[in-house]
Amino acid sequence: EADIYQTPRYLVIGTGKKITLECSQTMGHDKMYWYQQDPGMELHLIHYSYGVNSTEKGDLSSESTVSRIRTEHFPLTLESARPSHTSQYLCASSGRDQNQPQHFGDGTRLSIL
Amino acid sequence: KNQVEQSPQSLIILEGKNCTLQCNYTVSPFSNLRWYKQDTGRGPVSLTIMTFSENTKSNGRYTATLDADTKQSSLHITASQLSDSASYICVVSDRGSTLGRLYFGRGTQLTVWP
């Protein structure tokens, strides 16, 4: 089993609130990723990091921001949540070898009212 | 345009039966192809990874095949179990970037009935 954890698992919150989704991994992986997934649709990369102090935007434009101050921690923040942010957010990590799998957390299902 | 297409979109089989899921891709330059299993409400879990030189790889009752010439892959599940009910996602990685960009299919939703 992969050691990557996301909290909270579920979050229902009102419009305009600031939200932080937590993601931590204990595998010492340099690379970490955030994906957004809607029901029946493919995963879309919204942020990634090569290591500490490295953050990049992914393919899907997102109003969220990320930080990577520690290797094991990669939180995602929404400054002002809107109903359009309702989705599932999946965090993943991987080692340096591109032929090794990404390990995923179980996701945060976010609902903005 | 790099794409990954999976078929069928959904599949229902009876427990104990075999099934095969398909994946066609146009990703180039190709690095590797992965199959993931995603249970409802959970994150994807890796089943197999195949590079260009590999044409088959097994993980228990799961056997993946790869034809890099035709850009097709299949995932065969033998003697299905109720716990196999999940979405199976085909993911192709390119080698055109340092990140190893991943292209995700939409998945095949498999339901195994008793």
Side-chain angles (χ1 to χ4, degrees):
Chain A
E1 290 293 324
D3 296 317
I4 181 164
Y5 308 100
Q6 290 185 244
T7 58
R9 289 293 314 279
Y10 305 92
L11 180 61
V12 181
I13 201 165
T15 297
K17 301 292 185 181
K18 180 179 179 179
I19 299 166
T20 297
L21 308 185
E22 301 288 350
C23 176
S24 295
Q25 51 97 4
T26 59
M27 296 170 281
H29 286 162
D30 289 324
K31 297 178 184 176
M32 296 190 73
Y33 316 80
W34 277 102
Y35 292 91
Q36 188 171 336
Q37 184 182 31
D38 293 317
M41 301 297 288
E42 64 268 45
L43 278 71
H44 291 284
L45 182 68
I46 53 175
H47 297 283
Y48 62 95
S49 167
Y50 287 114
V52 171
N53 294 326
S54 154
T55 61
E56 303 285 346
K57 289 192 176 294
D59 306 307
L60 183 67
S61 175
S62 174
E63 294 168 348
S64 59
T65 59
V66 293
S67 62
R68 188 91 183 273
I69 298 173
R70 303 197 315 265
T71 297
E72 62 271 21
H73 195 213
F74 192 39
L76 180 146
T77 299
L78 278 164
E79 289 295 332
S80 179
R82 296 206 301 267
S84 61
H85 296 141
T86 295
S87 188
Q88 171 151 290
Y89 293 84
L90 289 162
C91 180
S93 71
S94 66
R96 295 179 182 179
D97 184 354
Q98 289 190 14
N99 290 325
Q100 291 299 312
Q102 289 188 3
H103 298 273
F104 286 84
D106 282 334
T108 293
R109 185 165 295 282
L110 179 63
S111 296
I112 309 301
L113 304 178
Chain B
K1 181 180 178 183
N2 288 322
Q3 286 186 314
V4 177
E5 301 288 341
Q6 294 187 242
S7 62
Q9 183 176 343
S10 61
L11 181 63
I12 298 174
I13 62 173
L14 294 177
E15 186 178 14
K17 298 297 185 182
N18 304 334
C19 67
T20 300
L21 315 180
Q22 301 291 342
C23 174
N24 296 334
Y25 64 92
T26 60
V27 176
S28 182
F30 174 86
S31 178
N32 58 62
L33 185 145
R34 309 150 187 236
W35 283 95
Y36 282 86
K37 177 187 179 188
Q38 185 175 23
D39 292 316
T40 301
R42 305 294 297 272
V45 175
S46 177
L47 295 175
T48 63
I49 293 181
M50 288 181 293
T51 59
F52 186 88
S53 59
E54 298 173 296
N55 55 22
T56 187
K57 184 165 279 189
S58 292
N59 177 0
R61 295 179 296 103
Y62 301 102
T63 299
T65 65
L66 172 65
D67 186 333
D69 291 331
T70 62
K71 296 186 176 181
Q72 295 179 325
S73 176
S74 65
L75 180 69
H76 186 74
I77 304 175
T78 304
S80 61
Q81 301 176 357
L82 299 179
S83 59
D84 292 332
S85 294
S87 179
Y88 291 84
I89 303 172
C90 177
V91 185
V92 181
S93 175
D94 76 9
R95 55 180 170 83
S97 65
T98 304
L99 181 68
R101 170 86 164 80
L102 297 184
Y103 296 86
F104 289 80
R106 294 188 176 184
T108 291
Q109 184 65 47
L110 175 67
T111 303
V112 181
W113 283 2

